[in-house]
Amino acid sequence: MMPRHLVTLFSAFLFGLTLSFFGLPVAQGATKHHHGIQTQPFGTQDGRPITLYTLTNSHGLEVRTMNYGAIILSMRVPDRKGQMADIVLGHDALEGYIPNPPYIGALIGRYGNRIANGTFTLDGKTYTLPKNDGPNTLHGGIKRTFDKVVWDGEAKKGGKPGVTFTYLSKDGEEGFPGNVKVKVSYTLNDKNELVVDYEATTDKATPINLTQHSYFNLAGEGTSDILSHEIMINADRFTPVDKNLIPTGELRPVKGTPLDLTTSTKIGARIDDDYEQLVLGHGYDHNFVINRKEDGMALAARAYEPTSGRVLEVSTTQPGVQFYTGNFLDGTVTGKQGHVYKRRYAFCLETQHFPDSPNHPEFPSTILKPGETFQSKTIFKFSTR
Ligand code: GLA
């Protein structure tokens, strides 16, 4: 017989082996998840290595992202019973994102949403951009847009699990002026918040509008449409659009319209109302003017899914949020685990400056000048009810 302390040692050794076999940290013994950040190779693109970063907080929430397109691949959060599910659309492998026509999970730039007729004038000079949305430029152009380039990634050292992505967008890229240095970081804290910090500088004046294009389904991605989710958008006004989805310039009160989401409302309640703006957007695809008393963080929206109890709150320093109900998803994209992404299988809450701001001097300015640093922050907070 083995002496008792040796048996204990031996079983501790076996336990450790089992844990490391499943990729769990031996040192943490019985904890079920690896709090911190893990990196793994995830293929190559443009001849450069792509790294997958897995951020896990002390409650076991997990966010995966990669340096291709600064894309967020998954967000695993608990329901009211503690059951985890992945609540964003995405793909299992890098190849699924090439191409990625719906911009699933991607970081958008230089200019999120539309610029009318693919042109703007700045300091007396007219710039021409590639058109990829009828007459418009959508989400920054066609080739080297922020969702399609390889960023430099660096895991944050110490502190909360996080990763910082940087990218240099060269002067003239997709028609935009100036060498723009962009820095985006994702940090997952123990308040169950995914914090997105944006920073940019330039050497020539240029418009800039950065956003995160995650597609949420709080019941779990790929399982159903989002029409029975409830949504509250903290906005008394929105920017109505014309037939090309370009803002008319008006800031219209939501009161008395199906865009009044100031109190929690089922997304499906009025989405197909015969209201001109919903007809034009094929559902919700509108920029809301976030109510705020001062600069700094303000609540933009809160979404709730009744069966799981999951709640997502989005707050931001940005003036607007695009509420898009996945109206253009049409089942042509097959995502994780073979899930087919059909119409309205997810919604986006894209914090942003107003669409087409470079052609609307009356809107808050999106022009970044040399010597200035653009900074903004958006927080996605997960909880249950
Ligand atoms: C934004 C736009 C939508 C659509 C999606 C991507 O939400 O406003 O019209 O382009 O991006 O498909």
Side-chain angles (χ1 to χ4, degrees):
M1 269 225 350
M2 220 188 268
R4 198 187 177 89
H5 72 277
L6 277 185
V7 174
T8 319
L9 258 182
F10 187 62
S11 36
F13 172 67
L14 276 185
F15 185 52
L17 268 188
T18 322
L19 283 180
S20 41
F21 179 74
F22 288 109
L24 295 169
V26 178
Q28 287 188 13
T31 51
K32 289 211 193 68
H33 42 78
H34 189 138
H35 174 208
I37 179 157
Q38 280 180 313
T39 57
Q40 68 189 77
F42 204 56
T44 54
Q45 180 63 10
D46 300 335
R48 294 186 51 196
I50 304 303
T51 303
L52 180 69
Y53 299 83
T54 304
L55 318 180
T56 312
N57 77 3
S58 66
H59 308 296
L61 274 76
E62 183 206 271
V63 171
R64 292 190 312 152
T65 177
M66 63 174 161
N67 61 318
Y68 177 71
I71 288 173
I72 293 178
L73 293 89
S74 64
M75 298 187 195
R76 290 180 59 79
V77 306
D79 68 5
R80 64 162 79 86
K81 293 187 191 129
Q83 201 70 38
M84 303 295 264
D86 184 354
I87 56 152
V88 290
L89 307 193
H91 299 279
D92 296 316
L94 173 61
E95 292 68 39
Y97 291 95
I98 303 166
N100 179 18
Y103 303 88
I104 294 176
L107 203 286
I108 308 293
R110 286 190 196 186
Y111 200 94
N113 211 282
R114 295 174 176 80
I115 295 183
N117 301 312
T119 183
F120 64 92
T121 300
L122 181 57
D123 297 333
K125 199 170 165 212
T126 297
Y127 294 88
T128 311
L129 313 171
K131 295 173 185 170
N132 59 337
D133 176 68
N136 310 314
T137 301
L138 174 66
H139 295 329
I142 296 178
K143 278 175 72 189
R144 290 193 65 80
T145 54
F146 293 5
D147 58 296
K148 294 179 194 70
V149 295
V150 180
W151 297 59
D152 289 321
E154 206 180 305
K156 286 194 178 171
K157 291 187 189 72
K160 313 194 170 33
V163 54
T164 302
F165 294 119
T166 49
Y167 174 64
L168 170 67
S169 171
K170 299 240 175 77
D171 189 10
E173 194 173 87
E174 298 297 293
F176 288 97
N179 292 294
V180 173
K181 284 190 197 151
V182 207
K183 187 159 111 183
V184 174
S185 71
Y186 298 127
T187 311
L188 185 60
N189 66 28
D190 287 336
K191 291 186 279 181
N192 293 346
E193 295 172 339
L194 174 65
V195 182
V196 187
D197 284 293
Y198 301 87
E199 222 177 86
T201 55
T202 185
D203 59 5
K204 276 184 198 164
T206 182
I208 187 140
N209 189 22
L210 306 176
T211 192
Q212 221 297 323
H213 210 307
S214 282
Y215 281 76
F216 295 94
N217 186 324
L218 302 180
E221 63 83 29
T223 54
S224 58
D225 66 44
I226 42 78
L227 297 180
S228 59
H229 282 55
E230 291 171 21
I231 186 85
M232 186 286 297
I233 297 185
N234 180 30
D236 294 335
R237 294 170 302 167
F238 73 106
T239 51
V241 289
D242 65 16
K243 64 175 192 329
N244 292 323
L245 301 188
I246 294 296
T248 59
E250 181 190 353
L251 303 185
R252 185 181 296 175
V254 295
K255 213 176 164 63
T257 81
L259 280 82
D260 186 351
L261 303 169
T262 52
T263 56
S264 198
T265 307
K266 238 181 163 181
I267 294 180
R270 300 186 65 183
I271 195 170
D272 287 320
D273 271 21
D274 189 17
Y275 176 66
E276 188 212 23
Q277 285 297 312
L278 290 179
V279 174
L280 291 169
H282 307 274
Y284 295 103
D285 192 354
H286 294 84
N287 171 66
F288 289 76
V289 182
I290 299 169
N291 295 336
R292 58 166 69 247
K293 290 189 196 78
E294 53 201 6
D295 286 354
M297 296 298 283
L299 180 66
R302 183 185 300 117
Y304 168 65
E305 198 284 307
T307 42
S308 65
R310 290 193 185 91
V311 177
L312 166 68
E313 271 183 7
V314 181
S315 38
T316 186
T317 57
Q318 289 285 288
V321 61
Q322 186 85 10
F323 177 46
Y324 168 58
T325 44
N327 311 306
F328 299 130
L329 295 176
D330 57 4
T332 51
V333 173
T334 300
K336 291 178 244 193
Q337 297 177 57
H339 290 161
V340 175
Y341 297 146
K342 299 186 205 145
R343 187 159 194 245
R344 297 178 176 164
Y345 257 43
F347 65 89
C348 302
L349 288 165
E350 301 155 69
T351 56
Q352 61 182 5
H353 269 69
F354 305 167
D356 198 32
S357 292
N359 294 308
H360 285 277
E362 71 279 22
F363 287 170
S365 173
T366 52
I367 305 303
L368 177 67
K369 299 192 181 118
E372 296 175 348
T373 301
F374 168 85
Q375 272 180 319
S376 83
K377 188 192 278 293
T378 291
I379 298 181
F380 297 97
K381 184 177 174 65
F382 310 102
S383 60
T384 58
R385 201 156 83 203

